[in-house]
């Protein structure tokens, strides 16, 4: 059997730009966040006014956080209103039992080596969509809310504190919230491992060039896409 | 007993305090309350004309450090005002009377000043098993608290015990110790946390009530904004060392001797709201960080459960161990990597097996 590779434009430019800004922002946020929690740099001798080491790291963390938030909000807009079949929320309906039906089960069975077939989706497969939702969407949401609540503490009674200060109450104290923010940040490196493994594996198994697709936007269709839903 | 209708100024005059000292005290009070200079005459007028507000001071599960702090208000007149106010009414630690005699006083005040007295509560009430873990005069403190609060004008929860629970309701909270605002829900409650709170903060809250006839502006945790509006970190004298990244690594190192930032020694200043770094303690002498010890966040809710005190990252109970967020995270990443590696091997095995028995399915390239 000779395989016909059909080029398919899947990830439009806004999605690809979002992806890489997000990847860079999360990397910077995670590393600066770890640094803020436990500053490693050995203290230089001299006057405190000569240095701004910690202040710079915090500034980078905060500035990157706002880029991350803007990017996230843009992605939400794109998911809700963008005319983009592969990047929309429209198909993602986990509150409906139907969503957990055959496509999801087949995909999970294939990942668990129960089924022999490897379904190959043009966009996200249902298991991938769920993983993205849990890690990237929920994770980001959590980090943004707790992060803004902590940022608001720099200016009590200010704009951000007024909007997000209530989040602190959910955790009891500011310190407890810092701890949870720190703990949940680890969701991203865990996700990175799963994500990188999954794309490389799909490249190898499906030969769909999923890895390069997030740069070029093109995937290669090797076989017929299964229908996610029969409308 | 108390002379009804006597104003603070009259009490002070009777005690031989000069007019000049009285005005100085009023100015200082205005500063503590964060009022503008134009408000000083209002404070003076209130102190001259308003009659004393009776205060009943109850002690529940607590250590009396709040009372100790309170009687050490830095300004002598502040202490005088406070002591006049309390020794004449009810405070089971400071009163000369004791036993049934004192309980009779409490009942009398509750009757004479129904709806007009302030209830100050030091400590909290254990609610488990009908409150038997804190008994006062044969009655559970829980019922004394409810009874006394019923006719109070407002309730002031002194200290971290009354405000948030402090050590008594740290995990596992065997007596069901419950902060005052969770028991008294139908009265205005002011939380004045700290273990103990700063004396000036305590007198300031009462002075605000006397001056304006209302409780001070409160934040989301019912704390007076004036004193709990900012973190200790934001007004800390060592803040520049934090921003510079100059940290004490050990209590005996060069940085410790030079007064660098105690962040890495577990300082909770960045997450603790109190006025320690501005008002300070013991007549403005110093405060923990000023003396080279990290803040351990005694004014923050649940601070006993956010330990240890001397490390920055809290211990998080995780499958029976004390771990930090980073340890748990690293284990999770390691677990994910191991899982993916196992899956990769599974994939390779599957591919090899799939391609063997049915050679027709092998792609021709």
């Amino acid at each position: 059997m000779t395989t016909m590779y059909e080029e398919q434009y899947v990830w439009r430019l806004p999605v690809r730009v979002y992806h890489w800004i997000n990847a860079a922002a999360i990397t910077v946020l995670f590393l600066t966040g770890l640094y803020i929690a436990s500053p490693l740099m050995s203290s230089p001798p001299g006057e405190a006014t000569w240095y701004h080491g910690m202040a710079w790291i915090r500034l980078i963390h905060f500035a990157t956080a706002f880029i991350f938030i803007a990017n996230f909000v843009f992605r939400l807009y794109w998911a809700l209103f963008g005319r983009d079949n592969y990047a929309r929320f429209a198909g993602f309906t986990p509150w409906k039992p139907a969503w957990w039906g055959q496509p999801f089960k087949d995909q999970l069975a294939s990942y668990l080596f129960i089924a022999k077939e490897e379904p190959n989706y043009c966009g996200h497969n249902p298991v991938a969509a769920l993983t993205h939702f849990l890690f990237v969407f929920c994770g980001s949401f959590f980090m943004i809310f707790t992060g803004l609540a902590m940022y608001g503490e720099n200016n009590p009674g200010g704009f951000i504190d007024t909007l997000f200060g209530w989040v602190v109450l959910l955790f009891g104290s500011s310190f407890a919230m810092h701890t949870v923010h720190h703990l949940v940040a680890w969701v991203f490196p865990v996700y990175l491992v799963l994500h990188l493994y999954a794309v490389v594996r799909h490249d190898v198994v499906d030969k769909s060039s999923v890895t390069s697709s997030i740069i070029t936007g093109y995937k290669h269709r090797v076989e017929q896409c299964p229908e996610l839903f029969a409308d | 007993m108390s002379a009804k209708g006597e104003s603070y100024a009259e009490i002070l005059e009777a005690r031989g305090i000069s007019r000049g000292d009285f005005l100085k005290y009023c100015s200082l009070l205005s500063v503590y309350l964060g009022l503008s200079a134009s408000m000083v005459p209002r404070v003076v007028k209130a102190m001259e004309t308003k009659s004393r507000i009776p205060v009943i001071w109850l002690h529940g599960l607590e250590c009396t450090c709040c009372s100790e702090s309170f009687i050490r208000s830095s300004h002598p007149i502040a202490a005088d005002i406070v002591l006049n106010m309390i020794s004449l009414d009810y405070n089971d630690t400071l009163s000369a009377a004791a036993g049934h005699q004192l309980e009779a006083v409490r009942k009398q005040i509750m009757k004479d000043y129904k709806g007009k007295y302030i209830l100050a509560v030091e400590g909290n009430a254990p609610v488990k098993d009908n409150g038997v873990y804190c008994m006062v005069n044969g009655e559970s403190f829980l019922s004394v608290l409810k009874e006394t609060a019923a006719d109070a004008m407002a309730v002031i929860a002194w200290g971290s015990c009354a405000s948030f629970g402090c050590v008594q309701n740290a995990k596992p909270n065997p007596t069901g110790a419950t902060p005052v605002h969770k028991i008294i829900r139908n009265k205005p409650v002011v939380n004045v946390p700290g273990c103990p709170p700063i004396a000036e903060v305590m007198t300031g809250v009462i002075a605000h009530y006397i001056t304006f006839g209302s409780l001070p502006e409160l934040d989301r945790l019912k704390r007076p904004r004036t004193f709990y509006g900012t973190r200790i970190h934001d007004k800390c004298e060592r803040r520049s060392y934090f921003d510079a990244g100059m940290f004490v690594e050990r209590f005996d190192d060069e940085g410790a001797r030079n007064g660098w930032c105690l962040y890495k020694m577990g300082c909770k200043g960045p997450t603790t709201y109190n006025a320690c770094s501005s008002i300070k303690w013991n007549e403005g002498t110093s405060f923990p960080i000023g003396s080279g010890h990290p803040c351990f966040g005694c004014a923050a809710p649940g601070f006993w459960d956010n330990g240890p005190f001397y490390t920055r990252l809290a211990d998080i109970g995780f499958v029976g161990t004390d771990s930090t967020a980073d340890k748990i995270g690293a284990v999770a990443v390691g677990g994910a990597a191991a899982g993916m590696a196992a899956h990769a091997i599974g994939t390779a095995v599957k591919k090899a097996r799939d391609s063997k028995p049915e050679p027709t399915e092998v792609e021709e390239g």
Side-chain angles (χ1 to χ4, degrees):
Chain A
M1 189 177 84
T2 310
T3 313
M4 261 268 287
Y5 290 99
E6 186 192 338
E7 272 201 334
Q8 268 214 327
Y9 191 46
V10 178
W11 310 124
R12 290 179 59 185
L13 187 64
V15 177
R16 285 176 280 149
V17 171
Y18 154 79
H19 175 275
W20 289 111
I21 291 179
N22 202 38
I26 288 175
T27 308
V28 172
L29 285 168
F30 186 74
L31 295 177
T32 52
L34 284 186
Y35 188 90
I36 291 167
S38 32
L40 298 166
M41 218 160 60
S42 58
S43 318
E47 292 291 328
T49 46
W50 300 348
Y51 308 106
H52 302 94
M54 191 72 169
W56 270 112
I57 302 284
R58 290 177 77 235
L59 181 66
I60 293 168
H61 191 79
F62 299 150
T64 311
F66 281 108
I67 294 170
F68 172 75
I69 293 167
N71 196 43
F72 184 74
V73 169
F74 166 76
R75 185 66 180 81
L76 281 189
Y77 163 80
W78 193 253
L80 291 169
F81 306 109
R83 290 165 182 244
D84 185 337
N85 285 333
Y86 299 115
R88 292 191 67 189
F89 274 160
F92 186 69
T93 52
W95 54 88
K96 286 184 188 162
W99 189 86
W100 301 88
Q102 215 50 51
F104 182 83
K105 283 178 193 153
D106 287 349
Q107 184 64 51
L108 198 62
S110 114
Y111 277 142
L112 295 175
F113 306 121
I114 296 166
K116 210 170 166 187
E117 300 79 40
E118 298 271 356
N120 187 15
Y121 287 84
C122 302
H124 292 125
N125 74 57
V127 175
L130 185 68
T131 315
H132 289 323
F133 174 74
L134 290 178
F135 283 82
V136 179
F137 183 84
C138 297
S140 300
F141 231 94
F142 186 89
M143 295 308 275
I144 289 170
F145 271 74
T146 51
L148 284 173
M150 288 192 278
Y151 186 74
E153 291 188 304
N154 289 315
N155 181 18
F159 179 69
I160 291 178
D161 179 54
T162 308
L163 285 181
F164 295 96
W166 57 271
V167 178
V168 184
L169 301 186
L170 304 179
F171 300 92
S173 72
S174 170
F175 187 80
M177 187 173 67
H178 278 71
T179 304
V180 182
H181 187 81
H182 191 145
L183 185 63
V184 175
W186 281 95
V187 154
F188 294 102
V190 169
Y191 174 78
L192 182 69
V193 170
L194 304 182
H195 180 58
L196 289 182
Y197 171 72
V199 289
V200 170
R201 182 182 182 277
H202 273 286
D203 250 3
V204 171
V205 173
D206 315 328
K207 299 178 180 63
S208 59
S209 69
V210 60
T211 312
S212 62
S213 74
I214 200 60
I215 298 169
T216 62
Y218 286 94
K219 272 187 174 182
H220 294 95
R221 187 145 102 175
V222 185
E223 54 186 22
Q224 201 63 32
C225 296
E227 286 299 318
L228 187 52
F229 294 112
D231 279 331
Chain B
M1 294 300 294
S2 68
K4 281 184 198 172
E6 230 179 337
S7 76
Y8 293 99
E10 281 164 346
I11 294 168
L12 294 173
E13 213 183 313
R15 294 190 151 231
I17 286 157
S18 73
R19 175 79 184 160
D21 280 345
F22 171 68
L23 292 178
K24 265 192 251 172
Y25 166 68
C26 291
S27 311
L28 194 64
L29 202 57
S30 311
V31 173
Y32 285 152
L33 292 174
L35 305 173
S36 67
S38 60
M39 295 297 272
V40 177
R42 196 159 164 193
V43 175
V44 174
K45 199 178 173 206
M47 289 293 168
E48 279 175 334
T49 55
K50 298 249 176 87
S51 59
R52 292 179 326 106
I53 299 173
V55 174
I56 296 181
W57 187 305
L58 294 180
H59 294 79
L61 273 189
E62 48 88 27
C63 73
T64 317
C65 74
C66 302
S67 293
E68 291 288 345
S69 172
F70 200 42
I71 59 177
R72 281 165 182 74
S73 280
S74 66
H75 201 281
I77 308 178
D80 222 346
I81 276 205
V82 161
L83 286 173
N84 268 297
M85 205 152 56
I86 286 163
S87 62
L88 290 174
D89 296 336
Y90 178 97
N91 180 323
D92 38 16
T93 307
L94 298 176
S95 298
H100 295 300
Q101 212 182 356
L102 187 61
E103 288 307 307
V105 172
R106 179 171 67 88
K107 295 259 158 78
Q108 193 63 40
I109 298 165
M110 286 168 58
K111 214 171 91 186
D112 291 353
Y113 297 95
K114 194 171 179 178
K116 286 180 190 149
Y117 61 88
I118 290 179
L119 171 63
V121 187
E122 189 178 343
N124 54 34
V127 298
K128 214 179 249 179
D129 303 326
N130 287 325
V132 292
Y133 302 112
C134 184
M135 304 294 286
V136 181
N137 192 31
E139 255 187 286
S140 74
F141 179 67
L142 181 63
S143 69
V144 173
L145 175 63
K146 282 181 178 165
E147 179 193 309
T148 319
D151 291 328
M153 178 163 59
V155 181
I156 302 177
W158 283 151
S160 290
C161 304
S163 303
F164 304 132
C166 207
V167 72
Q168 301 90 304
N169 82 347
K171 282 169 201 145
N173 190 6
T175 63
T178 307
V180 170
H181 66 92
K182 287 189 179 160
I183 297 172
I184 310 299
R185 292 185 172 278
N186 56 350
K187 298 277 171 189
V189 177
V190 185
N191 286 332
V192 187
C195 190
I198 304 167
E200 284 71 23
V201 172
M202 304 171 85
T203 44
V205 171
I206 289 188
H208 187 282
Y209 207 103
I210 295 163
T211 309
F212 299 104
S214 64
L215 293 171
E217 194 196 346
L218 305 179
D219 66 7
R220 290 186 187 90
L221 289 169
K222 299 181 199 262
R223 303 171 296 197
R225 264 183 202 281
T226 329
F227 302 107
Y228 296 92
T230 55
R231 297 171 294 186
I232 286 172
H233 189 57
D234 292 326
K235 288 181 178 173
C236 181
E237 60 202 21
R238 299 190 180 201
R239 177 60 189 260
S240 56
Y241 293 106
F242 173 83
D243 288 334
M246 297 162 84
F247 300 106
V248 175
E249 305 278 348
R250 285 188 317 277
F251 279 119
D252 57 352
D253 70 2
E254 191 66 24
R257 280 192 284 277
N258 290 334
W260 290 2
C261 177
L262 293 158
Y263 183 72
K264 289 179 85 171
M265 302 308 293
C267 185
K268 306 293 187 292
T271 48
T272 306
Y273 290 77
N274 206 343
C276 300
S277 50
S278 45
I279 294 180
K280 301 194 177 177
W281 291 79
N282 300 322
E283 305 182 20
T285 308
S286 187
F287 71 116
I289 296 166
S291 314
H293 188 279
C295 163
F296 59 62
C298 74
F303 74 100
W304 289 99
D305 294 329
N306 289 329
F309 290 155
Y310 298 105
T311 62
R312 179 61 206 163
L313 290 181
D315 276 351
I316 303 168
F318 180 61
V319 282
T321 63
D322 274 346
S323 309
T324 62
D326 285 342
K327 272 188 206 161
I328 296 171
V331 168
V333 171
M340 294 307 104
H343 198 273
I345 293 167
T347 307
V349 169
K350 185 186 170 217
K351 278 203 107 180
R353 197 190 293 157
D354 286 354
S355 53
K356 247 186 211 163
E358 293 158 296
T360 47
E361 273 199 9
V362 176
E363 287 164 14
E364 280 172 19

